[in-house]
Amino acid sequence: MSRRSPKNFAPEFKEQVLKMVESSDKPIPVIAEEFGISAKNIYNWRKRSHEKLTSRDKDEILEVKEENKRLKKKLAQLEEEQAILKKACAYFARSLP
């Protein structure tokens, strides 16, 4: 049994596939089938592209994640306050003649 030689894909093609992966809700194996490549290629390309991030990019990602966490916490707090206010309005509306 002979091994197939690895195919070299153009960087533009790889970028196109990775953009499709990021923007689509389709699973990677489906996208791979559409492009006629193996899903393993896409996983490897995505891993390498994430490894290429600079420390500045990584810092920005961390900042965004922290901001997202803070905003989710604030949203939960506001939703809780809204629920309390709804209950209070219903309580006082019942007591009116």
Side-chain angles (χ1 to χ4, degrees):
M1 181 180 212
S2 63
R3 295 184 81 187
R4 291 189 293 176
S5 62
K7 291 183 181 179
N8 291 325
F9 296 98
E12 297 82 17
F13 177 74
K14 292 178 184 180
E15 286 180 31
Q16 179 185 6
V17 172
L18 290 176
K19 284 180 184 177
M20 173 73 89
V21 168
E22 294 297 322
S23 65
S24 174
D25 292 336
K26 296 178 185 178
I28 289 179
V30 172
I31 294 172
E33 188 175 324
E34 289 176 2
F35 281 96
I37 57 176
S38 76
K40 187 175 179 180
N41 280 339
I42 297 176
Y43 288 116
N44 287 337
W45 297 342
R46 188 172 66 173
K47 181 180 176 184
R48 286 190 202 118
S49 74
H50 288 292
E51 289 172 351
K52 290 180 182 178
L53 292 175
T54 64
S55 62
R56 186 173 140 236
D57 292 336
K58 290 178 184 177
D59 290 342
E60 287 178 17
I61 290 170
L62 285 176
E63 287 176 20
V64 169
K65 285 183 178 181
E66 288 174 6
E67 179 74 2
N68 191 24
K69 184 177 176 181
R70 184 186 69 75
L71 291 172
K72 284 182 178 182
K73 187 176 179 179
K74 181 70 173 178
L75 176 63
Q77 177 188 357
L78 292 173
E79 287 174 341
E80 183 180 346
E81 290 175 6
Q82 182 184 25
I84 292 168
L85 289 172
K86 281 183 180 181
K87 290 177 184 178
C89 286
Y91 174 77
F92 288 115
R94 279 186 293 189
S95 64
L96 291 176

